[in-house]
Amino acid sequence: VLILGESGTGKELIARALHALGAHPSGPFVPINCATLSDQILESELFGHERGAFTSADRPKPGVMETADGGTLFLDEVNEMGLGCQAKLLRAIERREFRRVGGTKKIKVNLRVVAASNVSLEDSVAAGGFRPDLYYRLKVLSLEVPPLRERQEAIPVLAQRFLDEVTHNAH
C-alpha cells in the first residue's frame, strides 16, 4: 500500500487504520521513518544485524521487518531511501525473506508493507531516484491524502482523537 501526502496530513494514522482493518490487526504495527537515517543505518534497522557485522555491532539485533512479522511495517518517507537499500527491500518483499546484515541465515516473514511519501514517487522514478519495480510493488493500492487545510471538517475529529490519546496516556 502506498500513501501519498504532504507532511502532517495523517499518513501514519491512515497506515494504523489499514493495519487495524487488515487480516492481522492483533499483530504488531512497526513504523520507521526512512528520512531520519542514513542508508547504512536504515539497512541495519530494516533487516537487523549479527554480532560483528560492523564495529559497534556487539550483539545480534533483529530489524523492524523481523519485529513486524505477523503485522504491518510502515515505511514513512520511503522516497528518502537510497537505491541500494530499495533493491534489498524489494527483494525482501518479493521473497518474504531476508538476511540480517552480516548474517547467513534466511529469516522468513509474513507482513504487510505500507509506505508513505510526501513527494510523487512517479516523478522520483522518472528522475531516477526511485526504483520503478519497487514503486509498482508498493503501489498495489494507492491513497492520496489531501492536506488538512483542504479537509477542515476533519479537524474536530482529529482534535478529539489527540485529546483522548493524551488523556489515556496521563492515567
Side-chain angles (χ1 to χ4, degrees):
V1 177
L2 182 58
I3 304 171
L4 301 170
E6 293 178 10
S7 293
T9 56
K11 295 182 295 285
E12 185 170 341
L13 288 175
I14 292 170
R16 286 181 184 277
L18 290 170
H19 170 72
L21 296 170
H24 305 288
S26 61
F29 176 86
V30 182
I32 185 167
N33 188 325
C34 301
T36 61
L37 304 169
S38 70
D39 264 10
Q40 185 178 18
I41 293 172
L42 180 58
E43 183 179 344
S44 176
E45 287 297 312
L46 282 172
F47 306 113
H49 60 260
E50 295 296 340
R51 183 175 186 264
F54 45 86
T55 306
S56 60
D58 57 354
R59 64 180 192 267
K61 178 182 177 257
V64 293
M65 288 195 75
E66 198 171 338
T67 306
D69 188 29
T72 302
L73 174 62
F74 176 57
L75 302 169
D76 198 10
E77 307 306 346
V78 70
N79 53 292
E80 296 291 335
M81 187 181 291
L83 292 171
C85 205
Q86 289 177 34
K88 291 173 184 171
L89 175 64
L90 175 65
R91 183 179 176 97
I93 291 171
E94 289 178 341
R95 295 184 178 212
R96 295 181 178 262
E97 68 181 22
F98 60 92
R99 290 185 177 106
R100 288 182 181 166
V101 176
T104 57
K105 178 183 156 202
K106 290 180 183 177
I107 299 170
K108 294 193 176 291
V109 289
N110 180 16
L111 53 85
R112 169 190 281 164
V113 176
V114 177
S117 176
N118 62 0
V119 299
S120 165
L121 288 184
E122 279 187 39
D123 291 348
S124 295
V125 167
F130 202 83
R131 292 180 59 99
D133 45 3
L134 179 58
Y135 169 68
Y136 290 111
R137 175 64 68 179
L138 295 173
K139 194 182 178 235
V140 173
L141 172 64
S142 183
L143 304 170
E144 194 159 335
V145 184
L148 197 53
R149 67 181 170 274
E150 293 178 16
R151 52 188 174 99
Q152 293 182 5
E153 69 281 357
I155 293 173
V157 175
L158 290 171
Q160 185 62 53
R161 184 190 185 289
F162 295 135
L163 183 60
D164 292 347
E165 194 173 300
V166 169
T167 305
H168 177 73
N169 289 337
H171 291 108

